[in-house]
Amino acid sequence: MRSDLIKKTPGRAPHRSLLYALGLTEEEMGKPFIGVVNAFNEIVPGHTHLRSLTDAVKEGIRSAGGVPFEFPAIAVCDGIAMNHAGMKYSLVSREVIADSCEVMLMAHAFDGVVFIPNCDKVIPGMLMAAARMDLPSIFVSGGPMLPGRKDGRPVGLSNIFEAVGAHAAGKMSDDELTRMELSVCPTCGSCSGMYTANTMNCLTEAMGLALPGNGTIAAVYADRRRLARRTGMQIMKLLEEQRTARQIMTAAGIRNALRVDMALGGSTNSVLHLLAIAREAGIELSLAEISQISDTTPQLCKLNPAGDDFITDLNEQGGISAVMAELARKDLLETANPTVDGNLAERIRHVGGADGRLIRSIDNPHAPDGGLAVLFGSLAPNGCVVKKGAVLPEMMRHEGPARVFDDEEAVTEAIFSDQIKAGDVVIIRFEGPRGGPGMREMLTPTSSLAGMGLDNTVALITDGRFSGATRGASIGHVCPEAAAGGPIARVQEGDRIRIDIPARRIDILVPDEELAARSPAVQAPRKLSGVLARYEHLVDASSRGARLVLPGGGPTHERS
């Protein structure tokens, strides 16, 4: 056992004395040591209940013959961090989480690890750590919150962000806005739509690193606690089999996750995270390959914000296993890939597929291609991403004049002062990995336009990110970013921009020689310090996952 490094031989007597100070018995000293990474805190609604789930995980570990040791991970609530300087720290937290897990797992020589995440950057941060450490590893998330209800219909977080726009446009009263804000988040758990957290929890299950139900069982259900206990028991089986994270996080496992992502119409952020996770696992993944997977995977689900159903409704129809069973009907999954409980073929063998409505039949999908699309063109030579499944049909092709803004604050002010008009193409630059820094999510501009009724006539384009709660023609991750001198830095007010999502193109309609002759815009001076200064100096491009890399180009975690 790896933990023998800290508890075997006479020379480890000092180490054992410190372990005995924890209250361990001599019998426990001979058992496997399992790390339990708990992302509990009291500010993130998706995490406030994780203490009880962690207790259930530890009960499962003990019942199966292991010794659990709990330690924490930080978490940012993207909704609370939205639309102010705090959002610059959200993507940064992914790297901090991965690093802190590595520190704890290496320093204390654990034999295996259970990760307990729930929100946007925690899940990919822990997945990056799992790939990096390659220990027997398993995940159990905190699960989604239930949708709220207002005026007899289900509502989620995206609805309250859109309500702000409706209120600003005079379409919603103060009283209605208050009733909405008191209704949309009725329980603990990750926000109830197919936003980033739920997307990533579903993809962790699809990849094979979590038991069935991880992505869809509601946070407040007893089934979630039972899942946590079974997860604690299952890590001991993985340890016995010496089945490690990278044996599951194969290229096939990553491709399976992407197929499910496209079928679900998940968050655009999942593309960024899977690029980073794949690289941690030693797998080369490109936007071009993701585009190919999207082009050949039908979209089977339209969940909030693209539709009226929520992630917990998907659970009632069989969850991710049912989606995967439907994809497998056309051999779109690599079912021989191992999971934490056998291989994928065994997992879905007796699972029903489509119900015909919430999960469409693969012969009658919402679209013949995936819910996410990668676009290339003169505005984004290295690619950008859009949640195609949440774009209105009339906006799948759009051409209009550029309205150029150098940060989120400026565009938000323009939207609420009625400066954005039908037909405009809003450009938000210097919000990329380096330019932000931190590649802010910008849900306020997108949802405000939707709430004002402009999502059918206005497109938004950014080198930053858009929230998983976004709908409409909102195109993010434009690469190269403005801070790196990409074409987006050369766009001028009034330039014609053409978006053609079916053709996977995004272009600035300016002659190449004129565009090349323009001097790129210069970002206003910033005073960066601490983690943001470090991040800006080391972050890689969004087309490669926005991981931290050494000045020579290698990942920061590689050790000699």
Side-chain angles (χ1 to χ4, degrees), residues 368-534:
D369 49 5
L372 300 176
V374 178
L375 314 183
F376 295 91
S378 60
L379 188 58
N382 295 345
C384 57
V385 186
V386 62
K387 186 189 281 193
K388 179 182 73 67
V391 178
L392 292 169
E394 58 266 36
M395 290 299 291
M396 296 296 282
R397 291 183 174 91
H398 181 74
E399 182 180 319
R403 303 298 313 282
V404 183
F405 302 91
D406 285 349
D407 57 36
E408 181 186 6
E409 286 77 8
V411 74
T412 300
E413 181 181 348
I415 290 170
F416 286 119
S417 59
D418 201 29
Q419 296 177 41
I420 305 302
K421 305 300 181 184
D424 286 347
V425 177
V426 176
I427 304 288
I428 316 167
R429 62 191 180 191
F430 295 111
E431 289 286 4
R434 283 173 50 194
M439 210 178 178
R440 283 194 287 185
E441 284 185 4
M442 290 175 279
L443 181 56
T444 296
T446 59
S447 57
S448 298
L449 288 173
M452 292 174 173
L454 290 172
D455 57 317
N456 62 343
T457 58
V458 174
L460 296 96
I461 299 171
T462 185
D463 52 8
R465 297 180 297 129
F466 290 123
S467 166
T470 293
R471 62 184 176 93
S474 302
I475 301 166
H477 311 190
V478 168
C479 190
E481 63 173 300
I488 193 171
R490 289 177 162 82
V491 179
Q492 295 179 358
E493 188 81 7
D495 285 344
R496 302 293 293 182
I497 306 294
R498 178 180 293 158
I499 300 163
D500 190 338
I501 295 173
R504 306 297 192 258
R505 293 289 305 180
I506 183 165
D507 293 290
I508 176 171
L509 303 184
V510 173
D512 292 346
E513 59 275 13
E514 179 183 340
L515 193 64
R518 290 179 181 176
S519 297
V522 178
Q523 187 171 17
R526 297 165 300 162
K527 293 182 179 179
L528 297 178
S529 61
V531 68
L532 290 184
R534 204 158 52 240

Side-chain angles (χ1 to χ4, degrees), residues 219-236:
V220 294
Y221 286 0
D223 277 351
R224 175 62 57 178
R225 188 174 178 89
R226 279 190 284 273
L227 181 67
R229 188 176 284 109
R230 287 198 298 270
T231 298
M233 298 168 69
Q234 193 67 26
I235 187 61
M236 300 307 297

Side-chain angles (χ1 to χ4, degrees), residues 62-77:
R62 290 191 185 98
S63 70
V67 184
F69 294 87
E70 177 186 341
F71 61 86
I74 64 167
V76 169
C77 176

Side-chain angles (χ1 to χ4, degrees), residues 190-437:
S190 50
C191 297
S192 54
M194 184 49 75
Y195 313 149
T196 304
N198 288 329
T199 298
M200 291 307 302
N201 280 327
C202 289
L203 299 191
T204 303
E205 181 180 335
M207 199 182 302
L209 276 167
L211 292 171
N214 179 70
T216 56
I217 297 172
V220 294
Y221 286 0
D223 277 351
R224 175 62 57 178
R225 188 174 178 89
R226 279 190 284 273
L227 181 67
R229 188 176 284 109
R230 287 198 298 270
T231 298
M233 298 168 69
Q234 193 67 26
I235 187 61
M236 300 307 297
K237 293 183 181 178
L238 292 171
L239 181 61
E240 181 182 355
E241 298 167 359
Q242 276 302 294
R243 183 174 293 191
T244 65
R246 286 201 189 190
Q247 293 173 25
I248 297 168
M249 300 171 81
T250 62
I254 297 287
R255 287 192 293 268
N256 285 342
L258 280 163
R259 293 279 187 191
V260 171
D261 200 7
M262 300 307 166
L264 293 172
S267 167
T268 52
N269 288 308
S270 61
V271 171
L272 187 80
H273 298 322
L274 286 171
L275 286 165
I277 292 161
R279 280 166 170 74
E280 291 284 358
I283 298 164
E284 285 301 317
L285 179 67
S286 68
L287 282 175
E289 183 178 357
I290 293 173
S291 182
Q292 188 275 330
I293 289 172
S294 174
D295 290 347
T296 55
T297 308
Q299 183 177 358
L300 305 181
C301 301
K302 278 203 171 189
L303 302 172
N304 175 275
D308 296 327
D309 295 299
F310 287 79
I311 191 75
T312 47
D313 297 319
L314 178 61
N315 187 66
E316 301 304 317
Q317 299 300 330
I320 298 306
S321 292
V323 175
M324 298 185 86
E326 192 64 23
L327 290 172
R329 285 185 52 217
K330 297 289 187 179
D331 297 322
L332 290 176
L333 298 177
E334 299 177 60
T335 57
N337 197 68
T339 74
V340 291
D341 61 339
N343 64 29
L344 181 57
E346 295 165 345
R347 178 177 285 194
I348 64 175
R349 181 169 294 145
H350 303 296
V351 175
D355 69 313
R357 190 195 69 81
L358 198 147
I359 306 172
R360 288 275 193 97
S361 164
I362 201 162
D363 298 315
N364 182 36
H366 288 285
D369 49 5
L372 300 176
V374 178
L375 314 183
F376 295 91
S378 60
L379 188 58
N382 295 345
C384 57
V385 186
V386 62
K387 186 189 281 193
K388 179 182 73 67
V391 178
L392 292 169
E394 58 266 36
M395 290 299 291
M396 296 296 282
R397 291 183 174 91
H398 181 74
E399 182 180 319
R403 303 298 313 282
V404 183
F405 302 91
D406 285 349
D407 57 36
E408 181 186 6
E409 286 77 8
V411 74
T412 300
E413 181 181 348
I415 290 170
F416 286 119
S417 59
D418 201 29
Q419 296 177 41
I420 305 302
K421 305 300 181 184
D424 286 347
V425 177
V426 176
I427 304 288
I428 316 167
R429 62 191 180 191
F430 295 111
E431 289 286 4
R434 283 173 50 194

Side-chain angles (χ1 to χ4, degrees), residues 24 28-29 31-35 61-62 65-69 110 236:
L24 263 65
E28 287 175 315
M29 201 70 78
K31 296 179 179 181
F33 284 6
I34 307 298
I61 292 170
R62 290 191 185 98
V67 184
F69 294 87
F110 288 110
M236 300 307 297

Side-chain angles (χ1 to χ4, degrees), residues 135-220:
L135 296 170
S137 305
I138 192 170
F139 284 67
V140 59
S141 75
M145 69 169 62
L146 296 175
R149 296 196 71 81
K150 181 181 180 293
D151 300 329
R153 67 183 183 93
V155 288
L157 186 69
S158 62
N159 298 99
I160 185 62
F161 272 93
E162 292 183 14
V164 173
H167 179 267
K171 298 179 179 181
M172 179 177 283
S173 68
D174 291 349
D175 180 63
E176 287 179 296
L177 185 65
T178 298
R179 286 196 297 119
M180 177 73 83
E181 70 185 63
L182 291 171
S183 302
V184 295
C185 297
T187 73
C188 61
S190 50
C191 297
S192 54
M194 184 49 75
Y195 313 149
T196 304
N198 288 329
T199 298
M200 291 307 302
N201 280 327
C202 289
L203 299 191
T204 303
E205 181 180 335
M207 199 182 302
L209 276 167
L211 292 171
N214 179 70
T216 56
I217 297 172
V220 294

